[in-house]
Amino acid sequence: DEMEIIDDPKDLVKRSPIITIMGHVDHGKTTLLDSIRKSRVVTGEAGGITQHIGAYQVEHGGEKITFIDTPGHAAFTEMRARGAKVTDIVVLVVAADDGVKPQTIEALQHAKASGVPIIVAINKIDKPTANPDNVMSALSAHDLTPEAWGGTTPYVEVSALKRLGIDNLLDIILVLAEVEDLKANPKRDAMGTVIEAYLDKGRGPVATVIVENGTLRIGDIIVIGNTFGRIRTMNDDLKKRYDEALPGTPVEITGLDQVPQAGDIFMVFKDERVARQTAEARSSKLKETYIKQQKA
Ligand code: GDP
């Protein structure tokens, strides 16, 4: 397999965890993502004006945490269906007043199926009708017994709206990430996953990617699915420019010849000719599959 490059253990360093927030509609995923984004200390950025690129990083206790900024598990499901496994930890949001709902169960089943550890965030604890115990017992029936009840699942009570418990949530994420022992090799050529992509009138094809291994640099020759390119610019959601993006970093990139798909894997190639051939071979293979499907 072209992706399987064995890293020398001595080159491996800690990489920041990549988090997806899932849960039932209206339980507060978007509000929580906003609240976490606002929790970061922005130094020097005028007003901290952000643009949505589909992923962002915050610093907490001297460590970086990457959040996939697409609420709802449609993106997660789609990516998983395409074989991408970009998430290290799922934060399952459950509204304390509404309790466990069908999409809560669906979300936890997706997380379990991909073997990703779950942190339960009981949200809306500011509400007078909040009933965290209700959430804990309902989820215990689905193998998510709280640590406080002798289980192994971390729970945290938050109010995304009032911004309560956010620090606790970030603390717990870092503890779990430590247990997961996430490592990457910044010395190798980069690989990772596309989170979002679109065609920009001025900049051409734009894609938000998360670097999972290696270091991505300006000028790198890149293949994403059947798309070929050379990295022209990289920036984050604060419009900060990057010359290089280390493992765990989400960046918006330009310099591609086509718009890739969310969930596509990207790889950096040393040799432009090999990269072009790989993209073209994939392209004709895709066409072949398409023609076969049309005939069938
Ligand atoms: P999503 O569909 O899961 O992304 O949910 P949203 O983030 O859009 O939130 C749905 C509604 O719940 C909005 O009206 C939010 O203002 C509200 N909400 C979210 N978090 C809280 C919270 O912690 N407390 C209260 N009282 N309301 C919240």
Side-chain angles (χ1 to χ4, degrees):
D1 188 84
E2 59 188 328
M3 307 254 322
E4 292 296 326
I5 298 166
I6 307 300
D7 294 306
D8 189 334
K10 74 177 187 328
D11 290 333
L12 293 177
V13 297
K14 198 166 163 180
R15 105 168 137 71
S16 46
I18 302 162
I19 317 297
T20 297
I21 294 184
M22 295 168 98
H24 197 73
V25 64
D26 281 344
H27 279 198
K29 298 178 292 294
T30 312
T31 312
L32 187 58
L33 279 162
D34 284 348
S35 201
I36 294 166
R37 191 191 295 106
K38 283 178 192 149
S39 77
R40 73 177 149 200
V41 188
V42 183
T43 45
E45 317 282 338
I49 297 160
T50 60
Q51 94 194 102
H52 175 93
I53 68 164
Y56 65 81
Q57 247 181 358
V58 294
E59 218 173 285
H60 181 75
E63 310 265 359
K64 284 178 177 155
I65 307 172
T66 303
F67 285 89
I68 297 185
D69 192 10
T70 53
H73 54 248
F76 183 90
T77 313
E78 192 183 309
M79 282 194 220
R80 201 165 73 82
R82 299 174 54 79
K85 191 180 169 293
V86 65
T87 302
D88 299 308
I89 296 167
V90 163
V91 172
L92 182 63
V93 176
V94 189
D97 58 338
D98 204 24
V100 171
K101 292 283 164 186
Q103 278 174 273
T104 315
I105 307 293
E106 222 179 278
L108 76 86
Q109 282 168 347
H110 282 304
K112 275 191 196 166
S114 43
V116 179
I118 299 170
I119 296 171
V120 179
I122 303 181
N123 189 31
K124 309 197 186 186
I125 50 141
D126 59 289
K127 286 196 162 187
T129 49
N131 188 345
D133 269 14
N134 191 23
V135 174
M136 293 199 271
S137 49
L139 287 181
S140 293
H142 292 274
D143 276 346
L144 296 182
T145 309
E147 283 169 340
W149 294 2
T152 54
T153 305
Y155 278 66
V156 57
E157 294 185 10
V158 298
S159 167
L161 193 69
K162 310 264 185 214
R163 294 167 71 179
L164 302 170
I166 306 298
D167 277 351
N168 283 344
L169 173 61
L170 299 180
D171 284 344
I172 291 172
I173 287 172
L174 287 179
V175 169
L176 209 58
E178 195 70 45
V179 173
E180 292 292 299
D181 194 27
L182 307 165
K183 294 250 161 72
N185 175 7
K187 287 185 181 168
R188 59 172 271 186
D189 291 333
M191 62 82 50
T193 304
V194 176
I195 303 300
E196 276 186 13
Y198 68 99
L199 185 64
D200 182 89
K201 269 193 185 144
R203 296 186 293 164
V206 175
T208 295
V209 300
I210 294 184
V211 180
E212 285 160 62
N213 205 356
T215 300
L216 187 62
R217 295 185 174 85
I218 298 286
D220 273 355
I221 298 158
I222 189 171
V223 173
I224 312 179
N226 55 337
T227 305
F228 168 87
R230 190 184 273 275
I231 306 288
R232 196 166 61 219
T233 63
M234 293 196 282
N235 62 271
D236 64 14
D237 65 318
L238 293 164
K239 296 186 176 159
K240 186 183 148 196
R241 295 281 187 147
Y242 287 72
D243 291 327
E244 50 176 47
L246 291 166
T249 313
V251 280
E252 200 178 59
I253 61 171
T254 64
L256 306 173
D257 67 353
Q258 288 174 65
V259 180
Q261 275 185 281
D264 275 346
I265 305 294
F266 80 79
M267 283 184 66
V268 165
F269 283 74
K270 284 257 182 319
D271 188 318
E272 177 164 346
R273 199 172 48 89
V274 176
R276 278 192 192 281
Q277 280 169 355
T278 306
E280 275 160 23
R282 285 183 184 168
S283 185
S284 50
K285 204 169 171 189
L286 275 181
K287 271 181 213 142
E288 236 172 70
T289 313
Y290 177 77
I291 291 163
K292 266 188 208 149
Q293 277 171 354
Q294 296 298 302
K295 281 182 184 161

